[in-house]
Amino acid sequence: MKFLIKEASKTDVTYAQIIVDEIASSAKVRGTGIAKRTPEYIIKKIEDGKAVMATTASGEWAGFCYIEAWGHGDFVANSGLIVSSKFRGHGLAKQIKAEIFRLSRKKYPEAKIFGLTTGAAVMKINSSLGYKPVIYSE
């Protein structure tokens, strides 16, 4: 299956509620403490140019991830990775992670980039993309 994966634009704010609902649904199914996000929070990330959106060729929402930066951009986390349950199993999460990494590097070229996760699948994706596992205190 082919997806369009790109830096999110202001026209993508229409997907904010769908993204929030998918995050909540996924957290419930997995029984994990994924942080609850609001549509307003997702919209702000999109409007600030700190998000990646994935859609199908017909414009159906397929996945999302955003950048969280602090320390004046010294530290950047790729966060909120979510793929529509309809499109899981197609390698989309890895493609989104690769694109959010590129966007992070473009916006914060000197930052230490990392991802926090409780999921084994995301840990595997991160490792395949060159992320090194470290303990939380580091």
Side-chain angles (χ1 to χ4, degrees):
M1 181 158 244
K2 287 259 192 191
F3 299 98
L4 172 62
I5 304 162
K6 63 176 183 67
E7 182 177 339
S9 66
K10 292 184 191 225
T11 60
D12 293 320
V13 300
T14 59
Y15 299 117
Q17 187 63 56
I18 295 167
I19 293 165
V20 168
D21 292 346
E22 190 71 41
I23 290 170
S25 174
S26 181
K28 187 175 180 180
V29 168
R30 292 188 310 166
T32 59
I34 296 174
K36 187 173 182 177
R37 277 91 171 183
T38 64
E40 294 78 18
Y41 184 81
I42 299 299
I43 289 167
K44 177 89 169 111
K45 289 297 178 184
I46 292 169
E47 289 177 342
D48 289 349
K50 295 181 179 179
V52 166
M53 190 71 65
T55 60
T56 64
S58 64
E60 184 177 359
W61 177 78
F64 178 79
C65 193
Y66 66 84
I67 296 169
E68 194 67 67
W70 60 96
H72 303 288
D74 291 339
F75 302 95
V76 171
N78 297 152
S79 222
L81 174 66
I82 190 71
V83 172
S84 168
S85 57
K86 184 175 178 179
F87 299 113
R88 292 180 187 157
H90 296 280
L92 181 55
K94 186 174 182 178
Q95 294 173 60
I96 293 170
K97 286 288 283 193
E99 188 61 30
I100 197 71
F101 183 85
R102 281 189 285 279
L103 181 60
S104 298
R105 213 19 101 217
K106 176 179 149 188
K107 293 183 94 47
Y108 303 95
E110 303 300 319
K112 291 183 181 175
I113 301 173
F114 59 94
L116 300 173
T117 186
T118 57
V122 175
M123 287 179 83
K124 184 178 178 183
I125 290 168
N126 287 349
S127 292
S128 73
L129 292 172
Y131 287 73
K132 295 181 179 83
V134 295
I135 60 171
Y136 188 76
S137 62
E138 293 179 15

